[in-house]
Amino acid sequence: AQSVSQHNHHVILSEAASLELGCNYSYGGTVNLFWYVQYPGQHLQLLLKYFSGDPLVKGIKGFEAEFIKSKFSFNLRKPSVQWSDTAEYFCAVNARSGTYKYIFGTGTRLKVLA
Amino acid sequence: DADVTQTPRNRITKTGKRIMLECSQTKGHDRMYWYRQDPGLGLRLIYYSFDVKDINKGEISDGYSVSRQAQAKFSLSLESAIPNQTALYFCATSDLGSYGEQFFGPGTRLTVL
């Protein structure tokens, strides 16, 4: 069955530290990939997305993610985090064909210490 | 982003009661979804609708039902609420042409006592 794994459930960083959140998916077909962010008390918002082309995608607020097809991964990165990046981050995968599938990972809670 | 609205925002109810959560959108999207969010489990899809005449079960539809009253309205019902349905519920929309990007409402926090 299709699944999305986020191995880091809780991450604590100091401001200016670099961030990398892992996301792996299991699906053999073509996929669209997403990272969503949920700030405390707010709804989910799109951070970035990958459909095709350059596997390195850039999103809002300095975030980027790299799609590595051979590893079925779509890791999120940011060179220098800020206190305002404290949030929960969700990876999501949408299968492009066949039965509708839009699967979210379990999320990673990031806390950035000022 | 007020394009997707949900009512109520918070609700406390008792076991066995019937509850309806409503979602409205002004984005003009055909596709609408209901998710529940539980700590450590992420978002799980309850039901989805690709147009007014199309309703599909998601991965956790048991105990829930939905109604797509119009393109802009998609409601979720709990016919007989139980405590393990206590969760944060999100409505979302997407457009066929957006390759699956979803736009979320603010959520409804439901507590079943």
Side-chain angles (χ1 to χ4, degrees):
Chain A
Q2 185 178 351
S3 65
V4 178
S5 297
Q6 292 183 242
H7 306 294
N8 313 103
H9 299 296
H10 291 89
V11 174
I12 301 175
L13 295 172
S14 298
E15 276 194 315
S18 64
L19 171 71
E20 182 162 2
L21 302 183
C23 173
N24 288 90
Y25 66 94
S26 62
Y27 182 71
T30 304
V31 295
N32 299 325
L33 300 160
F34 307 84
W35 276 98
Y36 288 87
V37 60
Q38 185 179 28
Y39 297 105
Q42 297 188 26
H43 59 281
L44 276 78
Q45 305 168 44
L46 183 70
L47 202 54
L48 48 77
K49 58 192 177 187
Y50 172 80
F51 300 146
S52 63
D54 188 344
L56 183 63
V57 294
K58 295 189 183 298
I60 60 173
K61 302 184 181 185
F63 285 91
E64 65 180 30
E66 184 176 13
F67 171 49
I68 302 179
K69 189 175 181 179
S70 62
K71 295 185 178 180
F72 297 89
S73 70
F74 189 56
N75 292 354
L76 180 70
R77 300 194 293 247
K78 186 171 184 179
S80 177
V81 295
Q82 301 174 323
W83 177 80
S84 58
D85 293 324
T86 294
E88 189 160 16
Y89 294 81
F90 294 92
C91 180
V93 174
N94 178 19
R96 291 234 202 127
S97 61
T99 304
Y100 174 76
K101 290 286 187 183
Y102 202 111
I103 308 296
F104 282 85
T106 54
T108 297
R109 286 187 181 271
L110 171 66
K111 184 172 184 177
V112 180
L113 304 175
Chain B
D1 190 332
D3 295 334
V4 184
T5 57
Q6 293 182 232
T7 55
R9 294 293 311 279
N10 288 282
R11 182 72 184 268
I12 300 173
T13 191
K14 294 182 178 180
T15 297
K17 294 291 187 181
R18 183 178 188 274
I19 298 296
M20 179 179 286
L21 309 182
E22 298 185 342
C23 176
S24 295
Q25 53 113 348
T26 58
K27 299 189 76 69
H29 290 167
D30 287 327
R31 300 182 170 194
M32 298 186 73
Y33 313 84
W34 275 104
Y35 292 92
R36 65 176 280 175
Q37 183 181 20
D38 299 276
L41 297 178
L43 275 77
R44 293 180 291 167
L45 183 63
I46 306 172
Y47 272 94
Y48 62 100
S49 170
F50 282 178
D51 64 43
V52 175
K53 296 181 181 179
D54 177 77
I55 302 289
N56 302 280
K57 293 182 177 181
E59 61 179 301
I60 54 163
S61 60
D62 287 348
Y64 301 95
S65 62
V66 291
S67 174
R68 185 81 184 266
Q69 299 94 327
Q71 187 206 35
K73 295 184 182 296
F74 191 38
S75 59
L76 175 73
S77 293
L78 289 68
E79 297 301 326
S80 180
I82 56 177
N84 77 0
Q85 291 178 313
T86 293
L88 187 56
Y89 291 83
F90 286 104
C91 174
T93 73
S94 72
D95 184 11
L96 177 61
S98 65
Y99 291 94
E101 176 182 350
Q102 300 203 349
F103 298 84
F104 286 83
T108 295
R109 185 166 296 280
L110 176 66
T111 302
V112 183
L113 302 176

